[in-house]
Amino acid sequence: MGQPVVCDLVRRFDLTFNILSAIIYPHQEGRLILELYGSRKDFNRGVRYLKEMGVRVEKVGQEIHRNENICYQCGTCTSVCPTSALWVKRPDMEIVFEPEKCSACELCIAVCPPRAMSVKFNSTKML
Ligand code: SF4
Ligand code: SF4
């Protein structure tokens, strides 16, 4: 494709974005998870543009799971979670997980020592 499509979302459609996850291999298909901010009209125009450029666009939902039998409450995941879906409840220092806040960025999966976190994508087509 060779087109700066993400930059175009900003320049042409007045959208701002937050990259939650990026898996990109040279000359191969990749996956980019973005949070997009802007008006509904600009959002729809931007998504339509991406599709016209050959980008497969999907809305990400997720099934998040923390294996409570494995999690030993170390708190490592709270330092990487961008949405505060994982957080420390003080003063007892319990590590709380709120799946409804999770954006499926997968950062916690990589850092969790005992591999207690798992995220399955459940995507649906948009527009
Ligand atoms: S995948 Fe993990 S790190 Fe990412 S938002 Fe969800 S709970 Fe937080
Ligand atoms: S990093 Fe893993 S073991 Fe540690 S609190 Fe988070 S989910 Fe539990």
Side-chain angles (χ1 to χ4, degrees):
M1 176 173 18
Q3 191 79 13
V5 289
V6 177
C7 292
D8 282 347
L9 292 177
V10 178
R11 285 186 310 182
R12 296 179 52 179
F13 303 104
D14 207 22
L15 295 170
T16 54
F17 64 88
N18 183 23
I19 297 177
L20 301 175
S21 171
I23 302 172
I24 299 166
Y25 304 104
H27 311 298
Q28 291 181 38
E29 203 173 70
R31 185 180 73 197
L32 193 58
I33 300 177
L34 299 175
E35 272 180 333
L36 290 173
Y37 303 91
S39 71
R40 170 58 62 182
K41 187 177 162 202
D42 289 336
F43 174 83
N44 287 338
R45 288 172 59 230
V47 170
R48 201 169 303 124
Y49 163 74
L50 291 176
K51 292 182 74 176
E52 284 166 6
M53 297 304 294
V55 177
R56 196 169 122 206
V57 181
E58 297 179 340
K59 184 177 177 181
V60 174
Q62 63 278 329
E63 289 174 32
I64 314 301
H65 180 67
R66 179 171 71 175
N67 188 330
E68 304 296 342
N69 296 324
I70 295 177
C71 172
Y72 51 59
Q73 299 278 304
C74 69
T76 306
C77 53
T78 62
S79 64
V80 299
C81 182
T83 63
S84 298
L86 289 154
W87 55 281
V88 184
K89 185 177 178 186
R90 298 177 194 277
D92 50 359
M93 305 304 282
E94 177 194 354
I95 308 304
V96 178
F97 173 47
E98 295 183 275
E100 61 278 7
K101 287 188 186 173
C102 177
S103 60
C105 71
E106 301 187 48
L107 291 175
C108 58
I109 293 177
V111 301
C112 176
R115 297 289 199 200
M117 300 299 296
S118 61
V119 179
K120 268 192 228 160
F121 284 98
N122 173 22
S123 58
T124 53
K125 289 215 181 230
M126 295 182 70
L127 296 181

